[in-house]
Coordinates of all heavy atoms in Angstrom, one line a residue:
C21 N 11.9 16.0 10.0 CA 10.8 16.1 9.0 C 9.9 17.2 9.6 O 9.8 17.3 10.9 CB 10.0 14.8 9.1 SG 10.8 13.4 8.3
T22 N 9.1 17.9 8.8 CA 8.2 18.9 9.1 C 6.8 18.4 8.9 O 6.6 17.8 7.9 CB 8.3 20.1 8.2 OG1 9.7 20.5 8.3 CG2 7.4 21.3 8.6
V23 N 5.9 18.6 9.8 CA 4.5 18.2 9.6 C 3.8 18.9 8.4 O 4.0 20.2 8.3 CB 3.7 18.3 10.9 CG1 2.3 18.1 10.7 CG2 4.2 17.6 12.0
C24 N 3.1 18.2 7.6 CA 2.5 18.9 6.4 C 1.3 19.6 7.0 O 0.7 19.3 8.0 CB 2.0 17.8 5.5 SG 3.4 17.0 4.6
D25 N 0.7 20.8 6.3 CA -0.3 21.5 6.8 C -1.7 20.8 6.5 O -1.6 19.7 5.9 CB -0.3 22.8 6.4 CG -0.7 23.2 4.8 OD1 -1.6 22.4 4.4 OD2 -0.3 24.3 4.4
T26 N -2.7 21.2 7.0 CA -4.0 20.7 7.0 C -4.6 20.5 5.6 O -5.6 19.8 5.3 CB -5.0 21.3 7.9 OG1 -5.0 22.6 7.4 CG2 -4.5 21.2 9.4
T27 N -4.0 21.1 4.5 CA -4.6 21.2 3.2 C -3.9 19.9 2.5 O -4.2 19.6 1.3 CB -4.2 22.5 2.4 OG1 -2.9 22.7 2.3 CG2 -5.0 23.6 3.1
D28 N -2.9 19.4 3.1 CA -2.1 18.3 2.5 C -2.7 17.0 3.1 O -3.8 16.8 3.5 CB -0.6 18.3 2.8 CG 0.0 19.5 2.2 OD1 -0.5 20.0 1.1 OD2 0.8 20.2 2.9
I29 N -2.0 15.9 3.2 CA -2.3 14.5 3.8 C -2.3 14.6 5.2 O -1.3 14.9 5.7 CB -1.6 13.4 3.2 CG1 -1.6 13.4 1.6 CG2 -2.0 12.2 3.8 CD1 -0.6 12.4 1.0
E30 N -3.3 14.5 5.9 CA -3.4 14.7 7.3 C -2.6 13.6 8.0 O -2.7 12.4 7.7 CB -4.9 14.5 7.8 CG -5.1 14.7 9.3 CD -6.5 14.5 9.8 OE1 -7.4 14.9 9.0 OE2 -6.8 14.0 10.9
G31 N -1.7 14.1 8.9 CA -0.7 13.2 9.6 C 0.6 12.9 8.9 O 1.3 12.1 9.4
A32 N 0.7 13.5 7.7 CA 1.9 13.2 6.9 C 3.1 14.2 7.3 O 2.8 15.2 7.9 CB 1.6 13.3 5.4
F33 N 4.2 13.8 6.8 CA 5.4 14.7 7.0 C 6.0 14.9 5.7 O 5.9 14.2 4.6 CB 6.4 13.9 7.8 CG 6.0 13.6 9.2 CD1 5.3 12.4 9.5 CD2 6.2 14.6 10.1 CE1 4.9 12.2 10.9 CE2 5.8 14.3 11.4 CZ 5.1 13.1 11.8
Y34 N 6.7 16.2 5.5 CA 7.5 16.5 4.3 C 8.7 15.5 4.3 O 9.7 15.8 5.1 CB 7.9 17.9 4.4 CG 6.7 18.8 4.0 CD1 6.4 19.8 5.1 CD2 6.1 18.8 2.9 CE1 5.4 20.6 4.9 CE2 5.0 19.7 2.6 CZ 4.7 20.7 3.6 OH 3.7 21.5 3.4
S35 N 8.8 14.5 3.6 CA 10.0 13.6 3.6 C 10.2 13.0 2.3 O 11.0 12.1 2.3 CB 9.8 12.7 4.7 OG 8.6 11.8 4.5
V36 N 9.6 13.5 1.3 CA 9.8 12.9 -0.1 C 11.0 13.5 -0.6 O 11.0 14.7 -1.0 CB 8.5 12.9 -0.9 CG1 8.9 12.4 -2.4 CG2 7.4 12.2 -0.3
P37 N 12.1 12.9 -0.8 CA 13.4 13.5 -1.4 C 13.1 14.1 -2.7 O 12.5 13.5 -3.6 CB 14.5 12.4 -1.4 CG 13.8 11.2 -0.9 CD 12.3 11.4 -0.7
G38 N 13.6 15.1 -3.0 CA 13.6 15.8 -4.3 C 12.4 16.4 -4.7 O 12.2 16.9 -5.9
V39 N 11.4 16.6 -3.8 CA 10.2 17.2 -4.1 C 10.1 18.5 -3.2 O 10.3 18.4 -2.1 CB 8.9 16.4 -3.9 CG1 7.6 17.1 -4.2 CG2 9.0 15.1 -4.8
E40 N 9.9 19.6 -3.8 CA 9.9 20.8 -3.1 C 8.7 20.8 -1.9 O 7.6 20.3 -2.1 CB 9.4 22.1 -4.0 CG 9.6 23.4 -3.4 CD 9.4 24.5 -4.4 OE1 9.6 24.3 -5.6 OE2 9.0 25.6 -3.9
K41 N 9.1 21.3 -0.8 CA 8.2 21.2 0.4 C 7.0 22.1 0.3 O 6.1 21.8 1.2 CB 9.0 21.5 1.6 CG 10.1 20.5 2.0 CD 10.8 20.8 3.2 CE 11.8 19.7 3.6 NZ 12.7 19.9 4.3
T42 N 6.8 22.8 -0.7 CA 5.6 23.6 -0.8 C 4.5 22.7 -1.6 O 3.4 23.2 -1.7 CB 5.9 24.9 -1.6 OG1 6.4 24.6 -2.8 CG2 6.7 25.8 -0.8
S43 N 4.9 21.5 -2.1 CA 4.0 20.8 -2.9 C 3.3 19.6 -2.0 O 4.1 18.9 -1.2 CB 4.7 20.0 -4.0 OG 3.9 19.0 -4.6
P44 N 2.0 19.4 -2.1 CA 1.4 18.3 -1.4 C 2.0 17.0 -1.8 O 2.0 16.0 -0.9 CB -0.1 18.3 -1.7 CG -0.3 19.8 -2.2 CD 1.0 20.2 -2.8
K45 N 2.6 16.9 -2.9 CA 3.3 15.6 -3.3 C 4.5 15.3 -2.6 O 5.0 14.2 -2.6 CB 3.6 15.7 -4.8 CG 2.5 15.7 -5.8 CD 2.8 15.7 -7.2 CE 1.6 15.7 -8.0 NZ 1.8 15.8 -9.4
S46 N 4.9 16.3 -1.8 CA 6.1 16.0 -0.9 C 5.8 15.5 0.4 O 6.6 15.1 1.2 CB 6.9 17.4 -0.7 OG 6.1 18.2 0.0
C47 N 4.5 15.3 0.7 CA 4.0 14.8 1.9 C 4.1 13.2 1.8 O 3.5 12.6 0.8 CB 2.6 15.3 2.3 SG 2.6 17.0 2.7
A48 N 4.5 12.5 2.9 CA 4.5 11.1 2.9 C 4.2 10.6 4.3 O 4.5 11.2 5.2 CB 5.8 10.6 2.5
C49 N 3.5 9.6 4.4 CA 3.2 9.0 5.7 C 4.5 8.2 6.1 O 5.2 7.6 5.3 CB 2.0 7.9 5.5 SG 0.4 8.8 5.0
G50 N 4.6 8.0 7.4 CA 5.7 7.3 8.0 C 5.6 5.8 7.9 O 4.6 5.3 7.5
I51 N 6.7 5.1 8.4 CA 6.6 3.7 8.5 C 5.5 3.2 9.3 O 5.2 3.7 10.4 CB 8.0 3.2 9.1 CG1 9.1 3.4 8.0 CG2 7.9 1.7 9.4 CD1 10.5 3.2 8.6
G52 N 4.8 2.2 8.9 CA 3.6 1.7 9.7 C 2.3 2.3 9.3 O 1.3 2.1 9.9
K53 N 2.3 3.2 8.2 CA 1.1 3.9 7.8 C 1.1 4.0 6.3 O 2.1 3.8 5.6 CB 1.2 5.4 8.4 CG 1.1 5.4 9.9 CD 1.0 6.9 10.5 CE 0.8 6.9 11.9 NZ -0.4 6.5 12.5
Y54 N 0.0 4.3 5.8 CA -0.2 4.5 4.3 C -1.2 5.5 4.1 O -2.1 5.9 5.0 CB -0.7 3.2 3.7 CG -2.1 2.7 4.0 CD1 -3.2 3.1 3.1 CD2 -2.3 2.0 5.1 CE1 -4.5 2.8 3.4 CE2 -3.7 1.6 5.3 CZ -4.6 2.0 4.5 OH -6.0 1.6 4.7
S55 N -1.2 6.2 3.0 CA -2.0 7.3 2.7 C -3.2 6.8 1.8 O -3.0 6.1 0.9 CB -1.3 8.5 1.9 OG -2.3 9.3 1.4
D56 N -4.4 7.3 2.2 CA -5.5 7.0 1.4 C -5.8 8.2 0.4 O -6.9 8.2 -0.2 CB -6.8 6.6 2.2 CG -7.4 7.8 2.9 OD1 -6.9 8.8 2.9 OD2 -8.5 7.5 3.6
G57 N -4.9 9.1 0.3 CA -5.0 10.3 -0.4 C -5.4 11.5 0.3 O -5.3 12.7 -0.2
A58 N -5.9 11.3 1.6 CA -6.3 12.4 2.4 C -5.8 12.3 3.8 O -5.5 13.4 4.5 CB -7.8 12.5 2.5
V59 N -5.6 11.1 4.3 CA -5.2 10.9 5.7 C -4.2 9.7 5.7 O -4.2 8.8 5.0 CB -6.4 10.5 6.6 CG1 -6.1 10.1 7.9 CG2 -7.5 11.5 6.5
C60 N -3.2 9.8 6.7 CA -2.3 8.7 6.9 C -3.1 7.7 7.9 O -3.5 8.1 8.9 CB -1.0 9.2 7.6 SG 0.1 10.1 6.5
K61 N -3.1 6.5 7.5 CA -3.8 5.5 8.2 C -2.9 4.5 8.8 O -1.9 4.2 8.1 CB -4.9 4.8 7.4 CG -6.0 5.6 7.0 CD -7.1 5.0 6.2 CE -8.3 5.8 6.0 NZ -9.5 5.1 5.5
D62 N -3.2 4.0 10.0 CA -2.4 2.9 10.5 C -2.5 1.6 9.6 O -3.6 1.3 9.1 CB -2.9 2.5 11.9 CG -2.5 3.5 12.9 OD1 -1.5 4.1 12.8 OD2 -3.3 3.7 13.9
C63 N -1.4 1.0 9.4 CA -1.3 -0.1 8.5 C -1.5 -1.3 9.4 O -0.7 -2.2 9.7 CB 0.0 -0.1 7.9 SG 0.1 -1.3 6.6
S64 N -2.8 -1.5 9.7 CA -3.2 -2.7 10.4 C -3.8 -3.7 9.6 O -4.5 -4.6 9.9 CB -4.2 -2.2 11.5 OG -5.3 -1.5 10.9
V65 N -3.7 -3.5 8.4 CA -4.1 -4.5 7.4 C -3.2 -5.8 7.3 O -2.1 -5.7 7.0 CB -4.1 -3.9 5.8 CG1 -4.7 -4.8 4.8 CG2 -4.9 -2.5 5.9
T66 N -3.9 -6.9 7.6 CA -3.2 -8.2 7.4 C -2.8 -8.5 6.0 O -3.7 -8.3 5.1 CB -4.1 -9.3 8.1 OG1 -4.3 -9.0 9.4 CG2 -3.3 -10.7 8.0
G67 N -1.6 -9.0 5.8 CA -1.2 -9.3 4.5 C -0.4 -8.3 3.7 O -0.2 -8.5 2.5
V68 N -0.1 -7.2 4.5 CA 0.8 -6.2 3.7 C 2.0 -5.8 4.5 O 2.0 -6.0 5.7 CB -0.1 -4.9 3.3 CG1 -1.2 -5.2 2.4 CG2 -0.5 -4.3 4.6
N69 N 2.9 -5.3 3.9 CA 4.2 -5.0 4.5 C 4.4 -3.4 4.5 O 4.7 -2.9 3.5 CB 5.4 -5.7 3.8 CG 6.7 -5.3 4.4 OD1 6.8 -4.5 5.3 ND2 7.8 -5.9 3.9
C70 N 4.2 -2.8 5.7 CA 4.3 -1.3 5.7 C 5.6 -0.9 6.4 O 5.6 -0.1 7.3 CB 3.1 -0.9 6.4 SG 1.5 -1.1 5.6
T71 N 6.7 -1.4 5.9 CA 8.1 -1.0 6.5 C 8.7 0.0 5.8 O 9.9 0.3 5.9 CB 8.9 -2.2 6.7 OG1 9.1 -2.8 5.3 CG2 8.2 -3.3 7.6
T72 N 8.1 0.7 4.7 CA 8.7 1.9 4.0 C 8.0 3.1 4.2 O 6.7 3.0 4.5 CB 8.9 1.5 2.6 OG1 7.6 1.2 2.0 CG2 9.9 0.3 2.4
V73 N 8.5 4.2 3.9 CA 8.0 5.5 4.1 C 7.2 5.9 2.7 O 7.8 5.4 1.7 CB 9.0 6.6 4.4 CG1 8.4 8.0 4.2 CG2 9.6 6.4 5.7
G74 N 6.1 6.4 2.7 CA 5.4 7.0 1.6 C 4.6 6.0 1.0 O 4.2 6.2 -0.2
L75 N 4.1 5.1 1.6 CA 3.1 4.1 1.0 C 1.7 4.7 0.8 O 1.3 5.6 1.6 CB 3.0 2.8 1.9 CG 4.1 1.9 1.9 CD1 3.9 0.8 2.9 CD2 4.5 1.4 0.5
T76 N 1.1 4.4 -0.3 CA -0.4 4.7 -0.5 C -1.2 3.6 -0.6 O -0.7 2.4 -0.7 CB -0.4 5.5 -1.8 OG1 0.0 4.7 -2.9 CG2 0.5 6.8 -1.8
T77 N -2.5 3.6 -0.7 CA -3.4 2.5 -0.9 C -2.8 1.7 -2.2 O -2.8 0.5 -2.1 CB -4.8 3.0 -1.2 OG1 -5.2 3.7 0.0 CG2 -5.7 1.8 -1.2
E78 N -2.5 2.4 -3.2 CA -2.1 1.8 -4.4 C -0.9 1.0 -4.3 O -0.5 0.2 -5.1 CB -2.1 2.8 -5.6 CG -3.5 3.3 -6.0 CD -4.0 4.6 -5.2 OE1 -3.3 5.0 -4.2 OE2 -5.0 5.0 -5.4
S79 N 0.2 1.5 -3.4 CA 1.5 1.0 -3.5 C 1.6 0.1 -2.4 O 2.8 -0.5 -2.0 CB 2.5 2.1 -3.4 OG 2.4 2.8 -2.2
L80 N 0.6 -0.3 -1.6 CA 0.6 -1.3 -0.5 C 1.4 -2.6 -1.0 O 0.7 -3.2 -1.8 CB -0.6 -1.6 0.2 CG -1.2 -0.5 1.2 CD1 -2.6 -0.8 1.5 CD2 -0.2 -0.3 2.4
P81 N 2.4 -3.0 -0.6 CA 3.0 -4.3 -1.0 C 2.3 -5.5 -0.3 O 2.4 -5.7 1.0 CB 4.5 -4.1 -0.6 CG 4.6 -3.1 0.4 CD 3.3 -2.4 0.4
V82 N 1.7 -6.3 -1.0 CA 1.0 -7.6 -0.6 C 2.0 -8.6 -0.3 O 2.9 -8.8 -1.2 CB -0.1 -8.0 -1.6 CG1 -0.8 -9.3 -1.1 CG2 -1.1 -6.9 -1.8
V83 N 2.1 -9.2 0.8 CA 3.1 -10.2 1.1 C 2.6 -11.6 0.5 O 1.6 -11.9 0.1 CB 3.3 -10.5 2.7 CG1 3.7 -9.2 3.3 CG2 2.0 -10.9 3.4
N84 N 3.6 -12.5 0.5 CA 3.5 -13.7 0.0 C 2.4 -14.6 0.6 O 2.2 -14.5 1.9 CB 4.8 -14.6 0.2 CG 4.8 -16.0 -0.5 OD1 4.0 -16.2 -1.4 ND2 5.8 -16.8 0.0
G85 N 1.5 -15.2 -0.1 CA 0.4 -16.0 0.5 C -0.9 -15.1 0.6 O -1.9 -15.6 1.0
Y86 N -0.9 -13.8 0.1 CA -2.1 -13.0 0.1 C -2.3 -12.4 -1.3 O -1.6 -12.5 -2.1 CB -1.9 -11.8 1.1 CG -2.0 -12.4 2.5 CD1 -0.8 -12.8 3.2 CD2 -3.2 -12.3 3.2 CE1 -1.0 -13.3 4.5 CE2 -3.3 -12.9 4.5 CZ -2.2 -13.3 5.1 OH -2.3 -13.8 6.5
W87 N -3.5 -11.9 -1.5 CA -4.1 -11.5 -2.8 C -5.0 -10.4 -2.6 O -5.7 -10.3 -1.6 CB -4.7 -12.6 -3.4 CG -5.2 -12.4 -4.8 CD1 -4.4 -12.5 -6.0 CD2 -6.5 -12.0 -5.3 NE1 -5.3 -12.3 -7.1 CE2 -6.5 -11.9 -6.6 CE3 -7.7 -11.7 -4.5 CZ2 -7.6 -11.6 -7.3 CZ3 -8.8 -11.4 -5.3 CH2 -8.8 -11.4 -6.6
R88 N -5.1 -9.5 -3.6 CA -6.2 -8.5 -3.5 C -6.7 -8.2 -4.9 O -6.0 -8.4 -5.9 CB -5.8 -7.1 -2.8 CG -4.7 -6.2 -3.6 CD -4.6 -5.0 -2.9 NE -3.5 -4.3 -3.4 CZ -3.2 -3.0 -3.1 NH1 -3.8 -2.4 -2.2 NH2 -2.2 -2.4 -3.6
T89 N -7.9 -7.7 -5.0 CA -8.7 -7.6 -6.2 C -8.1 -6.5 -7.1 O -8.0 -6.7 -8.3 CB -10.1 -7.3 -6.0 OG1 -10.3 -6.3 -5.1 CG2 -10.8 -8.6 -5.4
F90 N -7.9 -5.3 -6.5 CA -7.4 -4.2 -7.3 C -6.5 -3.3 -6.4 O -6.7 -3.3 -5.2 CB -8.5 -3.5 -8.1 CG -9.5 -2.9 -7.2 CD1 -9.5 -1.4 -7.0 CD2 -10.5 -3.7 -6.5 CE1 -10.5 -0.8 -6.2 CE2 -11.4 -3.0 -5.8 CZ -11.4 -1.6 -5.5
S91 N -5.8 -2.4 -7.1 CA -4.9 -1.6 -6.4 C -5.5 -0.5 -5.3 O -4.8 -0.1 -4.5 CB -3.9 -0.8 -7.4 OG -4.7 0.2 -8.1
K92 N -6.7 -0.2 -5.5 CA -7.4 0.9 -4.6 C -8.0 0.1 -3.4 O -8.6 0.8 -2.6 CB -8.2 1.7 -5.3 CG -7.5 2.6 -6.3 CD -8.4 3.7 -6.9 CE -7.8 4.3 -7.9 NZ -7.2 5.7 -7.6
S93 N -7.9 -1.3 -3.3 CA -8.7 -2.0 -2.3 C -7.7 -2.3 -1.1 O -6.4 -2.5 -1.4 CB -9.0 -3.4 -2.9 OG -9.5 -4.2 -1.9
T94 N -8.1 -2.1 0.0 CA -7.5 -2.5 1.3 C -7.9 -3.8 1.9 O -7.6 -4.3 2.9 CB -7.6 -1.4 2.3 OG1 -8.9 -1.2 2.7 CG2 -6.9 -0.2 1.9
E95 N -8.8 -4.6 1.0 CA -9.3 -5.8 1.4 C -8.3 -6.9 0.8 O -8.2 -7.2 -0.3 CB -10.6 -6.3 0.9 CG -11.2 -7.6 1.2 CD -12.5 -7.8 0.7 OE1 -13.0 -7.1 -0.3 OE2 -13.3 -8.8 1.2
I96 N -7.4 -7.3 1.7 CA -6.5 -8.3 1.4 C -6.8 -9.6 1.9 O -7.1 -9.9 3.1 CB -5.1 -7.9 2.1 CG1 -4.7 -6.5 1.9 CG2 -4.0 -8.7 1.6 CD1 -4.5 -6.0 0.5
L97 N -6.9 -10.6 1.0 CA -7.4 -12.0 1.3 C -6.3 -13.0 1.3 O -5.4 -12.9 0.4 CB -8.4 -12.3 0.3 CG -9.6 -11.3 0.1 CD1 -10.4 -11.7 -1.1 CD2 -10.4 -11.4 1.4
P98 N -6.4 -14.1 2.3 CA -5.3 -15.1 2.2 C -5.7 -16.0 0.9 O -6.8 -16.2 0.7 CB -5.6 -15.8 3.5 CG -7.0 -15.4 3.9 CD -7.3 -14.1 3.4
C99 N -4.7 -16.4 0.2 CA -4.9 -17.4 -0.8 C -5.3 -18.8 -0.3 O -5.0 -19.1 0.7 CB -3.6 -17.4 -1.6 SG -3.2 -15.9 -2.5
L100 N -6.0 -19.4 -1.2 CA -6.3 -20.8 -0.7 C -5.2 -21.7 -0.6 O -5.2 -22.6 0.2 CB -7.3 -21.3 -2.0 CG -8.6 -20.4 -2.2 CD1 -9.4 -21.1 -3.4 CD2 -9.4 -20.5 -1.0
N101 N -4.1 -21.5 -1.4 CA -2.9 -22.2 -1.3 C -1.8 -21.0 -1.2 O -1.5 -20.5 -2.3 CB -2.6 -23.2 -2.4 CG -1.3 -24.1 -2.2 OD1 -0.4 -23.4 -1.7 ND2 -1.4 -25.3 -2.6
T102 N -1.1 -20.8 -0.2 CA -0.2 -19.8 0.0 C 1.0 -19.9 -1.1 O 1.4 -18.8 -1.4 CB 0.4 -19.7 1.2 OG1 1.2 -20.9 1.7 CG2 -0.6 -19.4 2.3
K103 N 1.2 -21.0 -1.6 CA 2.4 -21.1 -2.6 C 2.0 -20.6 -4.0 O 2.8 -20.2 -4.8 CB 2.8 -22.5 -2.8 CG 3.5 -23.0 -1.5 CD 3.8 -24.6 -1.8 CE 4.3 -25.1 -0.5 NZ 4.7 -26.6 -0.6
H104 N 0.6 -20.4 -4.1 CA 0.1 -19.8 -5.4 C 0.1 -18.4 -5.5 O 0.1 -17.8 -6.6 CB -1.3 -20.3 -5.6 CG -1.4 -21.9 -5.8 ND1 -2.6 -22.4 -6.0 CD2 -0.5 -22.9 -5.7 CE1 -2.5 -23.6 -6.1 NE2 -1.2 -24.0 -5.9
C105 N 0.3 -17.6 -4.3 CA 0.3 -16.1 -4.4 C 1.8 -15.6 -4.0 O 2.1 -15.9 -2.8 CB -0.6 -15.6 -3.5 SG -2.4 -16.2 -3.8
K106 N 2.5 -15.0 -4.9 CA 3.7 -14.5 -4.6 C 3.8 -13.1 -4.0 O 4.8 -12.7 -3.5 CB 4.6 -14.6 -5.9 CG 4.1 -13.5 -6.9 CD 5.0 -13.5 -8.1 CE 4.6 -12.6 -9.2 NZ 5.4 -12.7 -10.4
G107 N 2.7 -12.4 -4.0 CA 2.6 -11.1 -3.3 C 3.2 -10.1 -4.4 O 3.6 -10.4 -5.5
G108 N 3.3 -8.8 -3.9 CA 3.9 -7.7 -4.6 C 3.0 -6.5 -4.6 O 1.9 -6.5 -3.9
V109 N 3.2 -5.6 -5.5 CA 2.4 -4.3 -5.5 C 1.5 -4.5 -6.8 O 0.3 -4.0 -6.6 CB 3.3 -3.2 -5.7 CG1 2.5 -1.9 -5.9 CG2 4.1 -3.0 -4.5
D110 N 1.9 -4.9 -7.8 CA 1.2 -5.1 -9.0 C 0.1 -6.0 -8.9 O 0.3 -7.2 -9.0 CB 2.1 -5.4 -10.3 CG 1.4 -5.4 -11.6 OD1 0.2 -5.1 -11.6 OD2 2.1 -5.6 -12.7
T111 N -1.3 -5.6 -8.9 CA -2.3 -6.5 -8.7 C -2.5 -7.4 -9.9 O -3.2 -8.5 -9.7 CB -3.6 -5.8 -8.3 OG1 -3.9 -4.8 -9.4 CG2 -3.5 -5.2 -7.1
V112 N -2.0 -7.2 -11.0 CA -2.0 -8.0 -12.1 C -1.1 -9.1 -12.1 O -1.3 -10.3 -12.7 CB -1.8 -7.2 -13.5 CG1 -1.8 -8.1 -14.7 CG2 -2.9 -6.1 -13.6
D113 N -0.1 -9.1 -11.2 CA 1.0 -10.1 -11.1 C 1.2 -10.6 -9.7 O 2.3 -10.7 -9.3 CB 2.3 -9.5 -11.7 CG 3.2 -10.4 -11.9 OD1 3.0 -11.6 -12.3 OD2 4.5 -10.1 -11.8
L114 N 0.1 -10.9 -9.0 CA 0.3 -11.4 -7.6 C 0.3 -12.8 -7.6 O 0.7 -13.5 -6.5 CB -1.0 -10.9 -6.8 CG -0.9 -9.3 -6.4 CD1 -2.3 -9.1 -5.7 CD2 0.3 -9.0 -5.6
C115 N -0.1 -13.6 -8.7 CA 0.0 -15.1 -8.6 C 1.3 -15.5 -9.1 O 2.0 -14.9 -9.9 CB -1.1 -15.5 -9.6 SG -2.8 -15.1 -9.0
S116 N 1.7 -16.8 -8.5 CA 2.9 -17.4 -8.9 C 2.8 -17.9 -10.3 O 1.6 -18.1 -10.8 CB 3.2 -18.6 -8.0 OG 3.4 -18.1 -6.7
D117 N 3.8 -18.2 -11.0 CA 3.7 -18.7 -12.4 C 2.8 -19.9 -12.5 O 2.9 -20.8 -11.7 CB 5.1 -19.1 -12.9 CG 6.0 -17.8 -13.0 OD1 5.6 -16.7 -13.3 OD2 7.3 -18.0 -13.2
G118 N 2.0 -19.9 -13.5 CA 1.1 -21.0 -13.6 C -0.3 -20.9 -13.0 O -1.1 -21.6 -13.2
Y119 N -0.5 -19.8 -12.3 CA -1.7 -19.5 -11.5 C -2.3 -18.3 -11.9 O -1.5 -17.3 -12.1 CB -1.5 -19.7 -10.0 CG -1.0 -21.0 -9.7 CD1 0.4 -21.2 -9.4 CD2 -1.9 -22.1 -9.5 CE1 0.9 -22.5 -9.1 CE2 -1.4 -23.3 -9.0 CZ 0.0 -23.6 -8.9 OH 0.5 -24.8 -8.6
T120 N -3.5 -18.2 -12.0 CA -4.3 -16.9 -12.3 C -5.6 -16.8 -11.6 O -6.1 -17.8 -11.1 CB -4.6 -16.8 -13.9 OG1 -5.4 -17.9 -14.2 CG2 -3.3 -16.9 -14.6
G121 N -6.3 -15.6 -11.8 CA -7.6 -15.5 -11.3 C -7.7 -15.1 -9.8 O -6.7 -15.1 -9.1
P122 N -9.0 -14.9 -9.3 CA -9.1 -14.6 -7.9 C -8.5 -15.6 -7.0 O -8.7 -16.9 -7.2 CB -10.6 -14.7 -7.7 CG -11.2 -14.3 -9.1 CD -10.1 -15.0 -10.1
L123 N -7.7 -15.1 -6.0 CA -7.0 -16.0 -5.0 C -6.0 -17.0 -5.7 O -5.6 -18.0 -5.1 CB -8.0 -16.7 -4.2 CG -8.9 -15.9 -3.4 CD1 -10.0 -16.6 -2.7 CD2 -8.2 -14.8 -2.6
C124 N -5.6 -16.8 -7.0 CA -4.7 -17.6 -7.7 C -5.2 -19.1 -7.7 O -4.3 -20.0 -7.6 CB -3.3 -17.4 -7.2 SG -2.8 -15.6 -7.1

C-alpha cells in the first residue's frame, strides 16, 4: 500500500481495488480504523466491529446487542435487552424482528 497524500484522508492508504490511485476515493483506512471523511481514527468505539479495511463513520458495523441513532453517529449504545438488537450497518434495521424505536 502507498500512503495517501495530505489532501486525501489523513492516515489512509491507497488500497481500494478498482479505483485509480490518483483519486481520493481510492484511499481507505486499515483494519482497526475508520474514516470520518478527513482522518483515519482508531476504532475504539464499543459496540462496533472494525475488522475490515475501508470503514467510514457511515459504514461502521454495529454488533449484536448495540444500537445507534443514525449513520453519521459514533455514539453506540447498549440495548436494554441485547436480544432485541441484531446489529448491522443499516440504522433503520438494527432491531430484531418485532422490535422498533430507540434501543429497540
Side-chain angles (χ1 to χ4, degrees):
C21 292
T22 304
V23 175
C24 293
D25 78 27
T26 56
T27 61
D28 299 324
I29 299 169
E30 184 180 324
F33 295 90
Y34 289 115
S35 59
V36 177
V39 178
E40 192 175 333
K41 289 185 174 157
T42 57
S43 167
K45 290 181 180 179
S46 68
C47 290
C49 299
I51 292 173
K53 296 187 179 285
Y54 70 95
S55 170
D56 69 356
V59 176
C60 287
K61 294 188 170 189
D62 285 328
C63 193
S64 56
V65 180
T66 300
V68 296
N69 180 353
C70 292
T71 58
T72 56
V73 172
L75 291 175
T76 64
T77 303
E78 292 85 357
S79 69
L80 284 173
V82 178
V83 298
N84 186 20
Y86 287 85
W87 182 87
R88 71 175 170 170
T89 54
F90 62 104
S91 64
K92 294 188 187 261
S93 173
T94 56
E95 183 180 14
I96 312 297
L97 303 170
C99 290
L100 300 175
N101 183 328
T102 58
K103 293 178 183 177
H104 296 180
C105 299
K106 66 180 181 181
V109 175
D110 183 0
T111 55
V112 176
D113 193 31
L114 292 175
C115 297
S116 299
D117 290 341
Y119 300 95
T120 61
L123 304 176
C124 304

